[in-house]
Amino acid sequence: MQSWRQYRRFQATVKAQVERDRARAPGRRHGEDERPVPQSPMSSSEKDNGVDLEKGDSAESLPHGANPRDGDHNVGPDMMEDEEDTMQHNQRPFEEAERHSNNHDAEEEDDDEPFQHRPNLSRQTTQQSNRTDRTALGRALTGINIRHRTTKEGGSGDVFIVGYEGPGDLNDPHGWSYWTRIPCTFLIASIGCVVGIASAIDSSALPYAAREFGVAPVVESLATGLFLIGFGVGALFAGPISETVGRNPVYIVTLAVYMCFILGSALAPNIGAQLVLRFLAGLFGSTPLTCAGGSISDLWSPLERVFAFPVFANAAFTGPLLGPVMGGFIVQHLDWRWVEWITLIASGLVLILVFFFQPETYPPILLKWKAKHLRELTGDQRYRAEIEVRQEALTRRLLRALYRPILLTVREPIIILLALYLTVIYIVLFTFLDGYTYIFQDTYGLSEGLTGLCFLGIIVGLFGASALVPLMYKWAKEGLVKAREQGKEKLEPEFRLWFSMLGGSFAIPISLFWMGWTARPDISIWSPLAASVLFGYGILCVFITCYQYIIDSYEIYAASALASITLIRYVAAGSMVIVGIPFYENMGVPYTCTILGCLSCLLVPVPYLFYIYGPKIRSYSKYAVTTG
């Protein structure tokens, strides 16, 4: 609904722009207004600072469709040209590259050529005056970049690449007010939270569901494990599809389908049906894992993401921890199937809010809307968003998009290394969470409801990590000044590693040893609870570090890169949910936590090694950005 209203507003703003700029076209045509070809404007924040506060003249600051590797044809992926071009379309358009202005005179001459030779892009015009007027209008409209269509794009002749009008363009998400962007961010975070709740709430109902279905608890734990595996598999589709059709269609459609399978899980007649439905619910519930990072990037500049991204990160981790809290009291006072009904109700509320209030944020789709309105208003079919220049079927575009995560996973050293790192982290995380029943219920004799409340300690630790945000923001601004003094225009992605380097990587093993050897009846329950706070702090620091590092390293490829690491770590996490129960039963809490602590000790140096060798590793990664 909100996207539809947003689309209608585009029509009004585009019409106002055409009427406002139309008067310039005749003057331009007769030589009265010899201003240069209009360039795609900067957002208000960029205008004030000259370049993007953190990325400078990166791929994000290029016009939509300008290849950041045009200056060096020896740099770039060894891949099909059409695939490379498709991957360039993920970022928002900004200023026109200087190279286009060098060919300005030649382009003016070509604009007078007959349009009969441009059948793929323009509607045929029989009157020379109309053609000249339209070309003059195209040059007068702010944010329109005129360039030649290349052979590999399937045609020739001029095309009018549509960009944002200016710093005050109300259609540019980066230019929206805080009162618009903050609620949008919280809506995205709420999707991640409610899906996270669904992933873990079943764990509280495990013994009750096992008894009803006549299976062992370890078999019933598959309901949680398969949901997480579905998360990973679904991420391969959600992210790339959102880069093709937009964010909102993916959010709304996948949430609706996910709710259907949650409903099915609540009504499951046997263990087989429940496991299949839970897997499918996870498959369609994976949307926020890959799309949310892209949506936040659409809304906030790189420097602003220092404080915007932790909002989503907190919600993404709070959901799986709130699940057992809610589930513990639900199964204590209601039938175990109510864990699914409550999840369904919460998901429905979020879906309604998203449907009515969440606007579309993906810049290529927004500019596609604008180009469509310009074609209707002017009758000139040369107005195109960059993603429309290559005219091809939606199915072909989707197939190419789905190919990207696989390509990145097998070719990129950064993704391979961070995927392994996060896989081990998530094995530790979900095995640790499996033990709460053994740590607090068996050791301290707490009820299901009170055992669930013990997860609040980790949530407190999550918000403790967010306390680093003001410091990170201050350092980012100071670091940007120093980088510019050294001739650089942006901070290196390694800056994001400070979240983990400020105790985050140490906090995880310390908390595991602490909890494992103090969770005893003769020691106060507050000791393991304090350890859980430290664990929450460490986990969120690592999560923010890895996600932000990948987003900054891959920029236009970020959503596909996140899909790659999501698959690997959630498949591993889902498997450990099943394996974790026998670990605690056979080895006990102290030794299980000790093994997990030793495993996480091996990961402590990783952020520091990336901080030192990250630039060199990125130089071997074909798709990662380089700085300097």
Side-chain angles (χ1 to χ4, degrees):
M1 178 63 71
Q2 183 65 24
S3 294
W4 179 80
R5 292 174 57 193
Q6 185 183 9
Y7 176 81
R8 296 295 299 271
R9 285 198 299 270
F10 259 85
Q11 188 176 33
T13 57
V14 171
K15 184 177 181 180
Q17 179 188 353
V18 171
E19 292 175 351
R20 185 169 54 252
D21 289 349
R22 189 182 292 274
R24 301 174 185 171
R28 172 79 175 128
R29 183 179 40 159
H30 296 297
E32 298 173 10
D33 180 16
E34 292 296 334
R35 63 188 181 88
V37 178
Q39 297 183 350
S40 297
M42 296 179 286
S43 66
S44 57
S45 62
E46 291 169 327
K47 182 180 180 182
D48 294 338
N49 295 284
V51 294
D52 190 292
L53 284 171
E54 200 168 348
K55 288 189 180 178
D57 298 325
S58 65
E60 195 167 324
S61 64
L62 290 171
H64 206 145
N67 191 327
R69 299 187 181 93
D70 280 344
D72 185 358
H73 297 288
N74 294 322
V75 179
D78 180 17
M79 60 193 300
M80 295 171 55
E81 288 183 344
D82 59 346
E83 173 64 21
E84 181 177 359
D85 286 346
T86 299
M87 296 178 76
Q88 305 300 331
H89 300 161
N90 298 347
Q91 293 297 307
R92 55 198 301 277
F94 275 133
E95 288 189 303
E96 174 69 357
E98 184 65 26
R99 60 186 176 85
H100 289 296
S101 63
N102 295 335
N103 297 325
H104 171 57
D105 296 334
E107 288 178 356
E108 285 192 330
E109 295 176 4
D110 292 336
D111 284 333
D112 295 328
E113 294 179 1
F115 290 162
Q116 294 92 317
H117 301 295
R118 303 169 189 175
N120 292 330
L121 279 176
S122 73
R123 190 164 53 190
Q124 300 304 318
T125 304
T126 57
Q127 298 182 11
Q128 179 69 25
S129 59
N130 287 344
R131 184 167 66 246
T132 306
D133 289 342
R134 290 175 180 176
T135 299
L137 177 61
R139 295 196 182 282
L141 287 175
T142 309
I144 303 298
N145 296 304
I146 302 177
R147 70 166 173 83
H148 288 288
R149 199 182 192 200
T150 62
T151 303
K152 65 180 180 181
E153 290 170 336
S156 60
D158 290 339
V159 60
F160 294 173
I161 303 298
V162 176
Y164 293 119
E165 181 181 0
D169 195 332
L170 299 178
N171 299 319
D172 180 0
H174 276 201
W176 294 348
S177 68
Y178 284 120
W179 293 108
T180 300
R181 289 187 287 167
I182 290 175
C184 290
T185 303
F186 276 105
L187 273 179
I188 295 166
S190 69
I191 300 173
C193 183
V194 75
V195 175
I197 290 173
S199 71
I201 197 170
D202 271 41
S203 62
S204 301
L206 190 151
Y208 303 91
R211 280 199 298 267
E212 179 172 328
F213 292 138
V215 297
V218 69
V219 176
E220 179 58 32
S221 68
L222 284 168
T224 301
L226 288 174
F227 191 98
L228 296 174
I229 293 173
F231 255 32
V233 176
L236 290 177
F237 302 92
I241 291 175
S242 77
E243 297 170 354
T244 306
V245 301
R247 314 293 189 196
N248 270 14
V250 176
Y251 284 136
I252 293 170
V253 172
T254 56
L255 272 175
V257 177
Y258 143 85
M259 287 174 58
C260 292
F261 291 119
I262 291 292
L263 173 62
S265 298
L267 300 172
N270 53 59
I271 184 66
Q274 185 199 29
L275 297 183
V276 171
L277 291 166
R278 286 285 293 175
F279 172 79
L280 294 174
L283 185 73
F284 286 93
S286 63
T287 302
L289 299 174
T290 45
C291 297
S295 295
I296 291 172
S297 180
D298 296 340
L299 289 165
W300 304 95
S301 71
L303 187 61
E304 292 171 330
R305 287 202 297 271
V306 172
F307 56 79
F309 186 81
V311 173
F312 164 73
N314 271 295
F317 270 98
T318 299
L321 299 172
L322 279 179
V325 175
M326 297 167 57
F329 286 103
I330 291 172
V331 299
Q332 190 172 340
H333 299 287
L334 299 170
D335 183 73
W336 71 267
R337 293 180 185 268
W338 272 94
V339 298
E340 305 289 6
W341 292 115
I342 297 296
T343 301
L344 184 65
I345 293 170
S347 301
L349 291 175
V350 171
L351 177 60
I352 291 171
L353 291 174
V354 170
F355 181 78
F356 284 103
F357 299 108
Q358 179 71 11
E360 179 59 59
T361 62
Y362 190 44
I365 296 299
L366 300 181
L367 294 177
K368 182 179 179 181
W369 293 353
K370 182 175 182 179
K372 182 177 185 295
H373 289 310
L374 279 172
R375 292 195 295 269
E376 292 174 351
L377 289 169
T378 64
D380 193 334
Q381 299 301 301
R382 290 176 295 175
Y383 290 100
R384 299 278 169 176
E386 186 65 43
I387 59 173
E388 296 180 298
V389 174
R390 188 194 302 274
Q391 296 174 323
E392 58 187 3
L394 176 62
T395 53
R396 178 172 170 78
R397 290 169 55 201
L398 285 173
L399 288 174
R400 279 212 312 251
L402 294 173
Y403 168 64
R404 294 177 210 152
I406 300 173
L407 186 72
L408 293 173
T409 301
V410 299
R411 292 189 178 184
E412 291 298 286
I414 291 178
I415 292 179
I416 293 171
L417 292 174
L418 284 181
L420 292 173
Y421 177 59
L422 279 175
T423 296
V424 178
I425 289 292
Y426 268 62
I427 288 173
V428 171
L429 169 63
F430 283 94
T431 307
F432 172 72
L433 296 181
D434 266 350
Y436 260 55
T437 298
Y438 301 92
I439 294 171
F440 294 101
Q441 193 168 336
D442 294 352
T443 303
Y444 292 99
L446 300 183
S447 65
E448 289 90 346
L450 291 177
T451 299
L453 283 178
C454 293
F455 284 94
L456 294 178
I458 302 179
I459 296 177
V460 172
L462 298 181
F463 287 97
S466 301
L468 294 175
V469 169
L471 178 63
M472 292 294 102
Y473 187 77
K474 179 176 180 292
W475 285 0
K477 294 179 70 174
E478 294 174 351
L480 184 58
V481 172
K482 294 180 181 179
R484 287 177 175 170
E485 290 175 352
Q486 298 171 2
K488 301 178 182 180
E489 291 297 338
K490 57 185 176 181
L491 288 175
E492 295 187 349
E494 283 69 34
F495 170 79
R496 305 293 187 182
L497 297 169
W498 276 107
F499 266 103
S500 288
M501 293 167 65
L502 290 175
S505 61
F506 286 99
I508 297 174
I510 292 173
S511 64
L512 289 168
F513 290 128
W514 181 355
M515 179 170 284
W517 292 100
T518 63
R520 294 160 37 190
D522 58 328
I523 297 178
S524 170
I525 192 175
W526 291 104
S527 179
L529 285 175
S532 70
V533 173
L534 188 61
F535 184 84
Y537 169 81
I539 283 292
L540 190 66
C541 285
V542 168
F543 181 81
I544 291 175
T545 288
C546 293
Y547 261 58
Q548 290 277 62
Y549 187 82
I550 288 174
I551 290 172
D552 281 9
S553 293
Y554 286 89
E555 295 179 341
I556 57 176
Y557 312 113
S560 296
L562 292 176
S564 302
I565 65 170
T566 298
L567 169 66
I568 298 171
R569 77 177 192 268
Y570 269 97
V571 169
S575 303
M576 289 309 299
V577 167
I578 303 166
V579 176
I581 293 175
F583 255 91
Y584 283 100
E585 289 179 346
N586 296 322
M587 302 187 66
V589 172
Y591 289 104
T592 301
C593 287
T594 298
I595 293 172
L596 295 177
C598 292
L599 184 61
S600 58
C601 278
L602 300 176
L603 304 179
V604 169
V606 172
Y608 302 93
L609 293 175
F610 260 94
Y611 191 81
I612 298 171
Y613 299 106
K616 186 172 183 180
I617 297 173
R618 282 188 287 113
S619 69
Y620 291 114
S621 299
K622 295 182 179 180
Y623 310 109
V625 298
T626 56
T627 56

